[in-house]
Amino acid sequence: MTTSHSDGLSRRLVLGALAAMPALPGLLGATAAEAQTEAPLPSWNDGPAKRAILDFVRDTTDPSSKEFVPPEERIAEFDQDGTLWVEHPVYTQIVYCLDHVGDLVKARPELKNRQPFKTVLSGDREAIAKLSMRDFFEIVLGTQSGMDVETFREDVRKWLTGAKHPRWDRLYTDLVYQPMIEVLNFMRANGYRTFIATGGSGGFVGEYSEKVYGIPPQQVAGTEQAFKYGYDKDHRPILTREPKLVLDNLEAGKIQNFWMIYQRRPYAAFGNSSSDDQQMLEYVKAGSGARLSVAVLHDDAKREYAYGPAQGLPNTSVGTFSQEMYDIAKKQGWIVVSMRDDWKRIFAFEQA
Amino acid sequence: MTTSHSDGLSRRLVLGALAAMPALPGLLGATAAEAQTEAPLPSWNDGPAKRAILDFVRDTTDPSSKEFVPPEERIAEFDQDGTLWVEHPVYTQIVYCLDHVGDLVKARPELKNRQPFKTVLSGDREAIAKLSMRDFFEIVLGTQSGMDVETFREDVRKWLTGAKHPRWDRLYTDLVYQPMIEVLNFMRANGYRTFIATGGSGGFVGEYSEKVYGIPPQQVAGTEQAFKYGYDKDHRPILTREPKLVLDNLEAGKIQNFWMIYQRRPYAAFGNSSSDDQQMLEYVKAGSGARLSVAVLHDDAKREYAYGPAQGLPNTSVGTFSQEMYDIAKKQGWIVVSMRDDWKRIFAFEQA
């Protein structure tokens, strides 16, 4: 017991003082300009979703509230694909991997006639979009294995500066949802630590998460491959990515892995997919005190996409929001965000 | 790319301003009093170890230095047992588990005659001290499984307020090394994010890490069991600890698991054990630019303990510092800390 500690009051004073300072992303993440010069969540239309988020943050940070949560327990978790950025027509990390399948089969020609690589090499976009999550991860393990972890970092960084989404002809990192960026900043400005729990690889998402979301790579929990310790030709130690899953967020492991790595039940969780987010949202909402579970419904074909059974549309492998999850959300008191109705704008590059 | 960002200069200004404020543990962790009113590392004797730590921090944080490291890359990793607090005669978490073996065999009497439980129940301290790391983890999995993760948290917290180390008759959380607390604070005051990589369970260490070390549970990577999602009798979702290892830091997995979870090679690492720290220290030291690897040698039988082959003493299951690791340390330029010579005092409760 040798470190000294501020009490709740001095913590709040410090947070207040920080709000009057220049931005400190990655540490507290809030930009002072946002915190001070405009009302929170400006890209959100007034409505029950926006009100629920504002009320939750007020109730859990006001020391006189019976639902006050001490700063060290303020944890908020965010799914990435379909919750923080566009996931259609196919997850961005899968696009990265598809771009590397050519190199992979050059190195290992025996894969040419093996599924799912054969489908990818056919170039048949419809068939590719119909591959299962397990097929996708087969491609991830194939294309992301065998190299040193630092070589992988460099390759991801380079790819991100060039690859563009076909619909908008913009970098993938431009296709983040502005209303959600405002939620991240608003929660951090109120003492929340923000985390990503993703079906993607932490080593992929971590290359842009701090710059794009203000979330450092250490706060990104992904589906993770094994790493092997060894030595390169100059006898320097290296870590090599291996084609073996260790932590699996693809289906229902997200909350288990989140707890394993970060040791707490979040107070707030945001997701959109029945396969990997549903248990997380249920578990968070079931905690004691005020808890916020938010599910993003993709119902805006004009400005983004509309998909999932809750939209009366058939499921694809990419993102699901089943009618069952919709019914559970209503029954358990989650907030369902309608992209069409709740969001004034979707991307920062749109006219407000 | 929608969040705004401060440049290096305004980051430094903010860090400077923070240094003039009350303590903000868990966010930046430095206490202003320490940063301003006394020279760093007051419990260290002047000597090559202290100088190496001070030089490393100066070189990696001075913007005019060719070894400058940007704040978002400043990661420092610390082993816990034997590096941050006492590990002899047996790891504290194992003491916790031994205290629970009675309850375990009451619930599962068939374990009474099975090893390693039989040895534990014999009460033979010498035999218990000779159990292997795998035996210890068998006991961990036995005693820490089957309960809800939040029930486990509560039980650990309660135990920590009562259990005492027999030699000093003090709470285990008082037996942290004051010189290392000063290193943690000093590094955080200089923009480093501090992490623990431990052979213990994150869910155990995370219950006191923020209070004792200023390291939040989200920055503790441990040896981790599987968790199972299910429902209690009131149909509320719970996570249950399962008797299955998922992440194994006991032997050589520490740096692999650290990278998997936190996505970066640390710039500094502190450890003491050949079994689980050696690869971590080697890997950190082999990185580009200035890197600091520090190994703590337990050579002070009077004030703490002396053990390990580098001391000419036989190995036990608890903590090792092999002659091989000692030779590698010297060859690769790690810093070897002599507790006897480098530390003015070991515990905060000692007279300075």
Side-chain angles (χ1 to χ4, degrees):
Chain A
M1 310 295 185
T2 45
T3 53
S4 68
H5 291 88
S6 58
D7 59 15
L9 182 66
S10 61
R11 274 178 190 272
R12 288 194 301 281
L13 288 173
V14 172
L15 289 170
L18 281 168
M21 288 185 175
L24 190 67
L27 288 168
L28 292 172
T31 66
E34 277 173 341
Q36 297 226 315
T37 62
E38 47 181 40
L41 311 185
S43 297
W44 290 70
N45 287 315
D46 289 327
K50 179 176 182 173
R51 272 200 306 277
I53 296 168
L54 295 175
D55 288 353
F56 167 81
V57 171
R58 184 199 58 212
D59 291 346
T60 56
T61 59
D62 174 356
S64 69
S65 158
K66 68 178 175 23
E67 292 174 324
F68 178 74
V69 176
E72 65 274 17
E73 296 280 338
R74 289 182 203 155
I75 306 283
E77 175 275 337
F78 296 79
D79 166 58
Q80 182 193 229
D81 295 292
T83 298
L84 295 179
W85 75 354
V86 172
E87 65 182 354
H88 260 251
V90 67
Y91 301 113
T92 303
Q93 187 180 348
I94 300 299
V95 179
Y96 167 81
C97 291
L98 295 176
D99 283 356
H100 287 71
V101 166
D103 288 343
L104 176 67
V105 297
K106 223 176 277 174
R108 297 177 54 197
E110 74 276 14
L111 295 178
K112 258 186 208 167
N113 294 309
R114 201 185 296 168
Q115 290 296 11
F117 302 101
K118 193 176 169 183
T119 297
V120 171
L121 293 166
S122 75
D124 179 344
R125 281 170 173 268
E126 274 189 43
I128 293 170
K130 280 181 191 155
L131 292 172
S132 71
M133 276 303 293
R134 290 288 149 192
D135 287 333
F136 282 147
F137 218 78
E138 191 74 18
I139 296 166
V140 169
L141 287 179
T143 52
Q144 290 187 182
S145 296
M147 79 282 281
D148 167 57
V149 291
E150 291 182 329
T151 306
F152 177 71
R153 278 193 67 176
E154 281 316 303
D155 191 67
V156 171
R157 290 166 88 93
K158 197 178 142 202
W159 184 85
L160 286 166
T161 62
K164 291 186 174 178
H165 193 289
R167 173 164 167 187
W168 289 276
D169 194 32
R170 285 184 175 269
L171 296 179
Y172 287 95
T173 46
D174 287 342
L175 296 176
V176 296
Y177 304 139
Q178 177 59 21
M180 292 303 294
I181 298 295
E182 292 166 5
V183 170
L184 287 167
N185 287 335
F186 177 61
M187 295 198 79
R188 286 191 293 255
N190 284 282
Y192 274 87
R193 298 174 188 167
T194 55
F195 295 81
I196 289 173
T198 174
S201 306
F204 183 86
V205 179
E207 283 312 304
Y208 55 86
S209 62
E210 188 144 18
K211 193 170 171 192
V212 172
Y213 305 124
I215 297 178
Q218 295 85 40
Q219 289 168 212
V220 176
T223 295
E224 303 300 347
Q225 300 171 243
F227 296 146
K228 195 174 97 185
Y229 196 90
Y231 298 88
D232 69 10
K233 59 180 169 42
D234 303 318
H235 307 290
R236 285 185 315 186
I238 54 169
L239 292 177
T240 309
R241 302 182 74 91
E242 297 292 294
K244 186 189 155 198
L245 267 184
V246 177
L247 299 177
D248 184 349
N249 278 355
L250 296 178
E251 281 157 9
K254 217 177 234 190
I255 179 61
Q256 290 93 312
N257 292 332
F258 189 90
W259 189 292
M260 183 187 297
I261 295 175
Y262 300 127
Q263 318 292 346
R264 292 291 179 271
R265 187 197 301 248
Y267 272 79
F270 296 73
N272 76 302
S273 165
S274 307
S275 61
D276 58 341
D277 297 324
Q278 185 168 328
Q279 285 190 346
M280 168 77 89
L281 295 166
E282 174 177 81
Y283 186 78
V284 166
K285 189 64 189 172
S288 59
R291 305 276 173 165
L292 180 71
S293 286
V294 177
V296 176
L297 182 65
H298 292 260
D299 59 357
D300 193 333
K302 198 174 155 213
R303 294 186 300 172
E304 203 240 12
Y305 295 99
Y307 52 94
Q311 281 296 294
L313 297 167
N315 256 335
T316 70
S317 295
V318 177
T320 60
F321 194 136
S322 67
Q323 189 60 46
E324 185 206 1
M325 180 162 97
Y326 191 86
D327 296 340
I328 289 175
K330 291 296 172 187
K331 188 178 158 201
Q332 297 182 349
W334 311 358
I335 305 306
V336 175
V337 169
S338 159
M339 290 178 71
R340 187 188 56 212
D341 299 334
D342 286 312
W343 289 359
K344 260 183 218 164
R345 59 174 181 169
I346 293 184
F347 304 113
F349 57 78
E350 285 171 31
Q351 298 292 343
Chain B
M1 309 294 185
T2 45
T3 53
S4 67
H5 292 89
S6 58
D7 59 16
L9 182 65
S10 61
R11 272 178 190 272
R12 288 192 302 280
L13 288 174
V14 171
L15 289 171
L18 281 169
M21 288 185 175
L24 190 65
L27 288 168
L28 292 172
T31 67
E34 276 172 340
Q36 296 225 316
T37 62
E38 48 180 41
L41 310 185
S43 297
W44 290 70
N45 287 314
D46 288 328
K50 179 177 182 174
R51 273 200 306 277
I53 296 168
L54 295 175
D55 289 352
F56 168 81
V57 170
R58 184 199 59 212
D59 291 348
T60 56
T61 59
D62 173 357
S64 70
S65 159
K66 68 178 176 23
E67 291 174 324
F68 177 74
V69 176
E72 65 274 17
E73 297 279 338
R74 289 183 204 156
I75 306 283
E77 177 276 336
F78 296 79
D79 167 58
Q80 183 194 228
D81 295 294
T83 298
L84 295 178
W85 75 353
V86 173
E87 65 183 353
H88 260 251
V90 66
Y91 302 113
T92 303
Q93 187 180 347
I94 300 298
V95 180
Y96 167 81
C97 292
L98 295 177
D99 282 355
H100 287 70
V101 166
D103 288 342
L104 176 66
V105 298
K106 222 175 280 176
R108 296 176 55 198
E110 75 276 13
L111 295 177
K112 260 187 206 167
N113 294 310
R114 201 185 295 168
Q115 290 295 9
F117 303 100
K118 194 176 167 182
T119 297
V120 171
L121 293 167
S122 75
D124 179 344
R125 280 168 176 269
E126 274 189 43
I128 293 170
K130 280 181 191 152
L131 292 172
S132 71
M133 276 303 293
R134 290 288 149 193
D135 286 333
F136 283 148
F137 218 78
E138 191 74 19
I139 296 165
V140 169
L141 288 180
T143 51
Q144 291 187 181
S145 296
M147 78 282 281
D148 167 57
V149 291
E150 292 181 330
T151 306
F152 177 72
R153 279 192 67 176
E154 281 315 303
D155 192 67
V156 171
R157 290 166 88 92
K158 197 178 142 202
W159 185 86
L160 287 166
T161 61
K164 291 187 175 178
H165 193 290
R167 174 164 167 186
W168 289 276
D169 194 33
R170 285 185 176 268
L171 295 179
Y172 287 95
T173 46
D174 286 342
L175 296 176
V176 296
Y177 304 138
Q178 176 60 20
M180 293 302 295
I181 298 295
E182 293 166 5
V183 170
L184 287 166
N185 286 335
F186 177 63
M187 296 199 78
R188 286 191 293 255
N190 284 281
Y192 274 87
R193 297 173 190 169
T194 54
F195 295 81
I196 289 173
T198 174
S201 305
F204 184 86
V205 179
E207 282 313 303
Y208 55 86
S209 62
E210 188 145 18
K211 194 170 169 193
V212 173
Y213 305 123
I215 297 177
Q218 296 86 41
Q219 289 167 213
V220 177
T223 295
E224 303 299 350
Q225 301 171 241
F227 296 146
K228 195 173 96 184
Y229 196 91
Y231 298 88
D232 69 10
K233 57 180 170 43
D234 303 317
H235 307 288
R236 285 184 316 187
I238 53 170
L239 292 177
T240 309
R241 301 181 75 91
E242 296 291 296
K244 186 188 155 198
L245 267 184
V246 177
L247 298 177
D248 184 350
N249 277 356
L250 296 179
E251 281 157 10
K254 218 178 234 191
I255 180 61
Q256 291 92 313
N257 292 331
F258 188 90
W259 189 291
M260 184 187 297
I261 294 175
Y262 301 128
Q263 318 292 347
R264 292 290 179 271
R265 187 196 302 247
Y267 272 79
F270 296 73
N272 77 302
S273 165
S274 307
S275 60
D276 58 340
D277 297 324
Q278 186 167 327
Q279 286 190 346
M280 168 76 88
L281 295 166
E282 173 177 81
Y283 186 79
V284 165
K285 188 64 190 171
S288 59
R291 305 276 174 164
L292 180 71
S293 286
V294 177
V296 176
L297 182 65
H298 291 260
D299 59 357
D300 194 333
K302 199 173 155 213
R303 295 187 299 171
E304 204 241 13
Y305 295 98
Y307 51 96
Q311 282 295 294
L313 296 168
N315 255 335
T316 70
S317 294
V318 176
T320 60
F321 194 137
S322 68
Q323 190 60 46
E324 185 206 2
M325 181 162 97
Y326 192 85
D327 296 340
I328 289 175
K330 292 296 172 189
K331 189 177 157 200
Q332 296 182 350
W334 311 358
I335 305 305
V336 175
V337 169
S338 159
M339 290 178 71
R340 187 188 55 212
D341 299 334
D342 286 313
W343 290 358
K344 260 183 218 163
R345 59 172 180 171
I346 294 185
F347 305 113
F349 57 77
E350 286 171 29
Q351 299 291 343

